[in-house]
Amino acid sequence: DAMVIQNPRYQVTQFGKPVTLSCSQTLNHNVMYWYQQKSSQAPKLLFHYYDKDFNNEADTPDNFQSRRPNTSFCFLDIRSPGLGDAAMYLCATSGRQGALNYGYTFGSGTRLTVV
Amino acid sequence: DQQVKQNSPSLSVQEGRISILNCDYTNSMFDYFLWYKKYPAEGPTFLISISSIKDKNEDGRFTVFLNKSAKHLSLHIVPSQPGDSAVYFCAASAGETSGSRLTFGEGTQLTVNP
């Protein structure tokens, strides 16, 4: 089945130690998104790629970076994780068909713990 | 600045009854609205959407109503089933095209009791 896969499902990292979360998709969607969701809060968009074009949200901290080496993969790099970065990180895609009629397709998320 | 708000963190209903989940938005540019359902340890899955040119969209047991003047939408689930127990997110975008950014509400935990 075509899907969005996030690895790992759970990630524990040390305070200040760089960490990378990965997302892959088999949908051939041209847009990929990274959302951060903290407990009982709304998912918050960090950035998205429209094909190779990177779009950063104005309030996304510089500590967060992203790479998209090809259509299928997108990475979220947290350069120096702080305790406040502990959250669920959701990757999503949307397709070239031009409509949001069916919304985004989300991965299962990576829960990041910072110790 | 929370542009999409779901004021009820939780809702509990009996199986077979109607569940009504509410969502309010503040941004007049939003013209496309979606509901997502999320089970624990899974990503959100798309449930139903509505364009601002409509005031109602129905898909089986799920109906979304949009009141543009009040900037309010609601999701009705009839009849509710225990398997509907999940967190429901309301989302909105300005535009329907691929690449449009979705802004989410905080979610409402629905519990359907047998």
Side-chain angles (χ1 to χ4, degrees):
Chain A
D1 286 343
M3 59 179 63
V4 179
I5 301 170
Q6 290 188 244
N7 284 306
R9 292 292 300 272
Y10 301 92
Q11 175 75 55
V12 180
T13 190
Q14 289 182 331
F15 183 96
K17 183 175 181 181
V19 64
T20 295
L21 310 182
S22 74
C23 177
S24 64
Q25 55 131 339
T26 59
L27 299 158
N28 200 33
H29 281 173
N30 60 321
V31 192
M32 295 186 77
Y33 307 82
W34 280 104
Y35 279 83
Q36 178 194 63
Q37 187 190 11
K38 297 185 177 179
S39 181
S40 301
Q41 296 184 21
K44 178 181 177 300
L45 181 64
L46 295 173
F47 25 59
H48 73 280
Y49 275 94
Y50 194 112
D51 293 319
K52 293 184 179 180
D53 293 334
F54 177 70
N55 298 272
N56 200 27
E57 293 301 300
D59 56 354
T60 298
D62 292 340
N63 198 25
F64 292 85
Q65 306 280 315
S66 185
R67 296 171 283 135
R68 189 179 186 186
N70 53 52
T71 300
S72 301
F73 285 87
C74 195
F75 299 98
L76 170 61
D77 301 310
I78 308 176
R79 292 193 295 188
S80 180
L83 297 178
D85 296 327
M88 173 71 82
Y89 289 87
L90 295 165
C91 174
T93 70
S94 65
R96 192 180 294 277
Q97 285 69 27
L100 276 176
N101 289 354
Y102 300 99
Y104 295 175
T105 302
F106 280 89
S108 298
T110 294
R111 181 163 296 284
L112 178 69
T113 301
V114 182
V115 298
Chain B
D1 177 23
Q2 187 67 18
Q3 297 184 57
V4 178
K5 284 198 68 64
Q6 296 174 253
N7 289 315
S8 298
S10 63
L11 174 68
S12 183
V13 300
Q14 285 299 119
E15 181 178 6
R17 306 294 291 269
I18 184 171
S19 295
I20 300 176
L21 297 97
N22 293 302
C23 177
D24 297 292
Y25 63 96
T26 58
N27 189 337
S28 299
M29 298 299 291
F30 288 150
D31 59 3
Y32 199 75
F33 305 89
L34 307 92
W35 285 94
Y36 281 81
K37 178 179 179 179
K38 184 182 184 301
Y39 292 118
E42 295 183 14
T45 55
F46 171 79
L47 190 59
I48 192 169
S49 64
I50 188 167
S51 167
S52 60
I53 62 173
K54 297 184 176 180
D55 54 18
K56 177 182 174 181
N57 188 27
E58 192 171 355
D59 183 2
R61 297 185 296 114
F62 302 91
T63 302
V64 56
F65 295 91
L66 175 62
N67 182 334
K68 288 186 291 292
S69 60
K71 293 190 177 67
H72 177 83
L73 64 155
S74 60
L75 174 67
H76 294 209
I77 306 174
V78 182
S80 301
Q81 300 173 353
D84 296 330
S85 298
V87 177
Y88 288 78
F89 289 99
C90 171
S93 76
E96 295 183 41
T97 58
S98 176
S100 297
R101 296 155 63 253
L102 287 184
T103 301
F104 285 85
E106 307 93 326
T108 296
Q109 172 70 57
L110 173 66
T111 301
V112 180
N113 301 303

